[in-house]
Amino acid sequence: MKAISIVALGEVDEESLSAIEAGLWQAFGFDVRRADARPEPAGAYDAQRGQYSSVLILRDLLGYVSQGDVRLVGVTEKDLFIPMLSFVFGQAQLNGVAAVISLARLRQEFYGLPPSRPVLISRSVKEAIHEVGHTFGLTHCADSTCPMSLSNNVRQVDVKGEDLCRNCSIIFEENTNHIRSRIKPGAEVRK
Ligand SMILES: [Zn+2]
Ligand SMILES: [Zn+2]
């Protein structure tokens, strides 16, 4: 059966993983399953920056894709970067298979605030939906309440909801028609 797979990279907050599973199912309507955890992304560590390369993690993830994975989402507690930016909350292949998100900067304690589980969980779900949305061909949305809007800081994450806006929903449906028709038994269409 085709499903979106979630894979923990090393030790990852369990409650966030469960919430991401539920949130991705809710947002995209595909089955979501948990793949076996993989090791910490040690090979992606950049000692000079003290952060992990999201590009290298995406490459690792491609090696973990198994048959039946519609998409594969890595979740890490490590802080991620791409060369041009001081950090990223996550990264994904546009119209590709793999996405990764980091919980590091979604935690209140990263900013010297008291920890909050509801805040962490809510942000994790939104960022997972955002990155998986890219893999389904969605680009950044001008609606600041849509999970596909670009977040440069957690305030912008907190403004977003978990429901795709109307425009993004339409694009998602169009982009995934071919996958959906294949997962529904007997629904194969030809033209
Ligand atoms: Zn984005
Ligand atoms: Zn949108």
Side-chain angles (χ1 to χ4, degrees):
M1 176 118 76
K2 291 236 167 211
I4 298 173
S5 280
I6 297 174
V7 58
L9 304 172
E11 285 274 310
V12 175
D13 180 64
E14 178 56 38
E15 239 184 309
S16 297
L17 291 170
S18 299
I20 289 168
E21 277 183 62
L24 291 177
W25 177 79
Q26 184 76 31
F28 300 113
F30 283 100
D31 286 329
V32 181
R33 67 180 163 215
R34 189 87 65 89
D36 292 338
R38 298 283 181 164
E40 303 278 4
Y45 185 63
D46 183 310
Q48 233 145 37
R49 298 183 60 132
Q51 293 172 301
Y52 290 72
S53 161
S54 55
V55 173
L56 292 181
I57 294 177
L58 286 180
R59 197 190 60 185
D60 286 347
L61 285 172
L62 289 175
Y64 299 156
V65 174
S66 62
Q67 205 175 13
D69 287 345
V70 173
R71 296 295 185 264
L72 183 63
V73 189
V75 183
T76 176
E77 296 278 356
K78 304 299 187 190
D79 192 25
L80 303 179
F81 77 95
I82 57 173
M84 277 165 12
L85 295 174
S86 57
F87 77 94
V88 288
F89 290 127
Q91 201 191 358
Q93 298 177 298
L94 187 66
N95 283 308
V97 173
V100 60
I101 71 156
S102 163
L103 305 189
R105 290 178 190 248
L106 304 180
R107 294 177 176 277
Q108 290 287 68
E109 51 270 42
F110 186 89
Y111 307 95
L113 298 167
S116 165
R117 303 218 42 92
V119 167
L120 169 65
I121 286 165
S122 159
R123 289 172 179 168
S124 307
V125 170
K126 293 175 199 176
E127 287 313 288
I129 292 170
H130 181 95
E131 297 306 335
V132 172
H134 282 318
T135 68
F136 287 126
L138 296 175
T139 54
H140 287 150
C141 179
D143 178 346
S144 62
T145 66
C146 174
M148 289 316 297
S149 79
L150 171 65
S151 301
N152 291 313
N153 56 57
V154 283
R155 282 187 307 283
Q156 291 169 324
V157 178
D158 292 340
V159 167
K160 302 199 268 197
E162 294 177 14
D163 296 324
L164 294 176
C165 74
R166 194 173 150 67
N167 272 348
C168 289
S169 297
I170 291 169
I171 298 167
F172 167 71
E173 295 294 336
E174 279 172 3
N175 289 356
T176 54
N177 264 339
H178 63 293
I179 315 177
R180 289 170 185 287
S181 61
R182 264 190 271 131
I183 58 173
K184 273 189 237 147
E188 196 168 352
V189 286
R190 287 163 190 249
K191 58 178 176 182

